[in-house]
Amino acid sequence: MDHAPLIVTLELHPMHQPFFNGLRKAHFPAHANYLDAHITLFHHLPSNEPCIYETLTVLSKQTPFTLKVNGLHRFENGVAYTLASDILQTLHQSMQEKWKAWLVWRDQQPLWPHITIQNKVTAFKSQQLHEKLGAAFVPFEVAAVGITTWLYLNGPWERVAYFPFTSQEKEIPTQNQQ
């Protein structure tokens, strides 16, 4: 039996989500905009692999953290906000190590965190939006509050599970503390 691929995204704090969703609604072609703004961590994992969910349960036992929205990136047919976070890079590398056996080529690459707000438009339209947003851009921060998994259904996504970051983590004793 074939299983739909699993997508893993970073969940933004609800107070930050409307800003990016609003930009997508304004600048993403309506016929192709069936997702909220998101930060994809992995594009294609096996949805029937328990290790993935076990890993996310363990890795979510950390404090929510901030990401710096540090710029805009224009690609041929769209625009995205670029993000920076050492914590996110470390978290992503941990997942890559745990899931190495299942990673497709794209998911083996270093993480380039971003939020796409426009895609599937002409190069001219993406250039216009990039210039408009770039003229007023000032770096800012957003909060990451968890990880969400989704089934990819050849277009739309179906939410599977949410792993909130918790600050209730237990300290792991070191050799000297035992």
Side-chain angles (χ1 to χ4, degrees):
M1 176 180 163
D2 287 339
H3 295 274
L6 193 71
I7 298 168
V8 179
T9 63
L10 189 67
E11 188 85 9
L12 290 177
H13 190 284
M15 73 179 177
H16 301 299
Q17 196 68 44
F19 171 75
F20 297 106
N21 285 347
L23 287 169
R24 276 181 73 99
K25 186 174 182 176
H27 302 291
F28 213 101
H31 73 277
N33 189 21
Y34 41 77
L35 300 172
D36 283 343
H38 55 279
I39 304 164
T40 304
L41 302 179
F42 291 90
H43 299 85
H44 194 282
L45 291 167
S47 58
N48 61 340
E49 181 50 59
C51 175
I52 292 168
Y53 303 97
E54 292 163 7
T55 299
L56 292 173
T57 299
V58 171
L59 292 178
S60 66
K61 294 184 185 344
Q62 66 165 27
T63 304
F65 58 91
T66 60
L67 299 104
K68 185 167 189 169
V69 181
N70 61 356
L72 288 158
H73 176 78
R74 179 183 172 259
F75 45 98
E76 185 178 357
N77 298 78
V79 177
Y81 280 93
T82 58
L83 309 167
S85 166
D86 291 339
I87 294 170
L88 177 56
Q89 292 294 342
T90 300
L91 182 66
H92 186 261
Q93 289 167 0
S94 295
M95 289 184 234
Q96 282 180 313
E97 289 171 19
K98 298 271 189 203
W99 303 335
K100 186 181 251 182
W102 304 293
L103 297 182
V104 296
W105 179 85
R106 186 175 183 185
D107 290 335
Q108 294 173 17
Q109 305 310 305
L111 180 64
W112 176 61
H114 65 281
I115 300 173
T116 302
I117 56 161
Q118 182 187 60
N119 200 2
K120 304 177 192 307
V121 299
T122 64
F124 178 73
K125 281 188 177 181
S126 68
Q127 180 65 39
Q128 284 183 313
L129 181 60
H130 185 262
E131 288 173 5
K132 176 183 172 185
L133 294 176
F137 180 77
V138 176
F140 59 100
E141 292 186 341
V142 294
V145 296
I147 299 169
T148 304
T149 58
W150 308 84
L151 290 179
Y152 176 69
L153 304 173
N154 295 319
W157 298 3
E158 179 183 311
R159 188 177 174 128
V160 176
Y162 173 57
F163 301 86
F165 293 143
T166 60
S167 56
Q168 315 258 318
E169 62 192 293
K170 293 184 180 176
E171 185 175 291
I172 300 171
T174 62
Q175 291 281 352
N176 296 340
Q177 294 175 318
Q178 294 179 337

